[in-house]
Amino acid sequence: MKEALKLELRRLFSSKELYIALAIGLTLVVWLFVYEISESVRLAEQYATYGDKVSAYLYYPKTVFNSCIELEYDALPPILLYLLFPIIAAFPYASTYCKDRKTGYLKNLLIRVDRKDCYLSKYIVSFLSGFLLSGVILLSSLLLTMLVFPMLIPEAVTQNYYVQSGNMWGNLFYTMPMLYTLLYILIDMLWCGCMATFALLISMFTRSAFLTVTGSFIVFEVLDYVHSLFSLSQFSPITFLRPIQTSDGISLGIIMGEFIVLMAASFAGFYLLERKKDVF
């Protein structure tokens, strides 16, 4: 098991797909960072000239907790990032399994490595690829924002923050916002790992790398659409993964319950079933 895991980790960190996905995520992070600085300068100039008449709410400087990509609520980069997370999470590694079958690499690998170790290591590394990649992207945004913006405690009266006190951990956000942000980043990392394993499950049914990577995105988008039709957006991963919580009724029970169900489904579908098949 140890050797199989080392081999798959080496393949992950030497793959160009990993660094392409990382570059896409960091590009969105830098894009938002530049945008937030320009917006902060613009608002400061307006308030210096017109005072509180420039808007209907009290002036409060931009902070880390409404400027990082996790908590910015109306800019394009965070919308794109959370929309594309199923693709970004799956891109580095999930398609390697269909490539291995297509090229015959899997046959050669199973001669040298125990079948159970081979499939389990692929599943673990698939999860880690999404987990670690999303963590680097989200933490990079948080750390970059901390270099410029103050870490002031959010004030609800300013209406500059989208999180409401009635949301999940809402009171925590207005008392210990850094803890709230880090906990939500951990949730996002777990779910990106889940999305990557779900893409690995899809790779069982196709030898197309494109369908493997985009399949997870399509599934989660369809789920989001179905949930919205029945006014159940709080059950959609596309919705509840954004820390600003754009839908009411989101709870930790919903988030972790769906996570466990999808992880169990991907594990049972890939590891428990695929390892029993002959290689073609």
Side-chain angles (χ1 to χ4, degrees), residues 96-112:
T96 58
Y97 182 63
C98 59
K99 291 178 182 177
D100 289 350
R101 288 163 42 205
K102 188 175 181 179
T103 60
Y105 176 84
L106 186 60
K107 293 180 181 179
N108 294 326
L109 181 63
L110 291 175
I111 296 173
R112 299 170 174 80

Side-chain angles (χ1 to χ4, degrees), residues 3-23:
E3 292 303 317
L5 193 57
K6 282 183 178 180
L7 175 62
E8 295 302 328
L9 285 171
R10 191 179 305 117
R11 294 181 67 192
L12 170 64
F13 288 108
S14 62
S15 68
K16 63 181 180 181
E17 289 85 357
L18 173 65
Y19 300 101
I20 291 173
L22 182 60

Side-chain angles (χ1 to χ4, degrees), residues 60 63 65-66 71 73 151-181 243-245:
Y60 200 67
T63 71
F65 306 111
N66 62 359
L71 294 166
Y73 53 85
M151 294 176 59
L152 299 176
I153 298 295
E155 294 288 346
V157 70
T158 64
Q159 301 181 34
N160 284 332
Y161 301 92
Y162 207 90
V163 179
Q164 305 298 316
S165 59
N167 291 149
M168 182 185 76
W169 301 339
N171 291 330
L172 181 64
F173 176 76
Y174 287 102
T175 54
M176 301 178 68
M178 182 55 72
L179 179 59
Y180 173 93
T181 306
I244 58 173
Q245 300 188 46

Side-chain angles (χ1 to χ4, degrees), residues 212-266:
T212 297
V213 172
T214 59
S216 179
F217 169 79
I218 294 171
V219 168
F220 282 102
E221 281 299 311
V222 170
L223 285 175
D224 183 63
Y225 178 71
V226 172
H227 283 122
S228 65
L229 283 179
F230 294 95
S231 300
L232 296 172
S233 294
Q234 69 270 27
F235 290 93
S236 169
I238 298 296
T239 299
F240 64 58
L241 288 185
R242 290 200 68 183
I244 58 173
Q245 300 188 46
T246 56
S247 178
D248 294 331
I250 295 172
S251 69
L252 186 61
I254 291 174
I255 294 173
M256 297 311 298
E258 289 190 30
F259 172 79
I260 292 171
V261 168
L262 288 179
M263 285 294 293
S266 62

